[in-house]
């Protein structure tokens, strides 16, 4: 998948992958349709950071979820 090209499909893919990686309990709060391409670069940055890590501390999880929340439309 070419994430360098902003598209709704890429947004959906990245959000779904982060939900799986973070094992989020409340997945309804992070529905991929709640995100748009306006913050695409920020979403790609967050996606890349999440995907290259294996574990997250509770405070890191909180920060990631907060950042995802700020990127929602």
């Amino acid at each position: 998948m070419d994430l360098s090209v902003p598209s709704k499909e890429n947004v959906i893919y990245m959000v779904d992958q982060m939900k799986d990686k973070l094992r989020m309990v409340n997945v309804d709060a992070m529905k991929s349709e709640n995100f748009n391409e306006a913050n695409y670069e920020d979403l790609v940055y967050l996606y890349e950071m999440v995907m290259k890590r294996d574990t997250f501390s509770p405070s890191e999880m909180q920060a990631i979820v907060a950042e995802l929340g700020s990127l929602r439309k």
Side-chain angles (χ1 to χ4, degrees), residues 33-46:
E33 59 265 13
N34 292 334
F35 296 86
N36 59 31
E37 297 170 45
N39 298 321
Y40 190 80
E41 290 177 17
D42 295 331
L43 190 59
V44 169
Y45 174 79
L46 189 60

Side-chain angles (χ1 to χ4, degrees), residues 52-70:
K52 68 180 166 184
R53 299 273 310 272
D54 290 328
T55 60
F56 301 93
S57 70
S59 61
E60 288 172 326
M61 283 289 287
Q62 265 186 321
I64 291 167
V65 170
E67 184 63 24
L68 281 169
S70 72

Side-chain angles (χ1 to χ4, degrees), residues 10-33:
N10 286 350
V11 170
I12 292 168
Y13 173 79
M14 288 187 290
V15 171
D16 288 345
Q17 290 296 308
M18 285 189 283
K19 283 192 300 191
D20 290 344
K21 175 89 177 205
L22 297 172
R23 292 183 222 105
M24 295 179 71
V25 176
N26 188 3
V27 294
D28 287 337
M30 302 313 293
K31 290 182 180 177
S32 53
E33 59 265 13

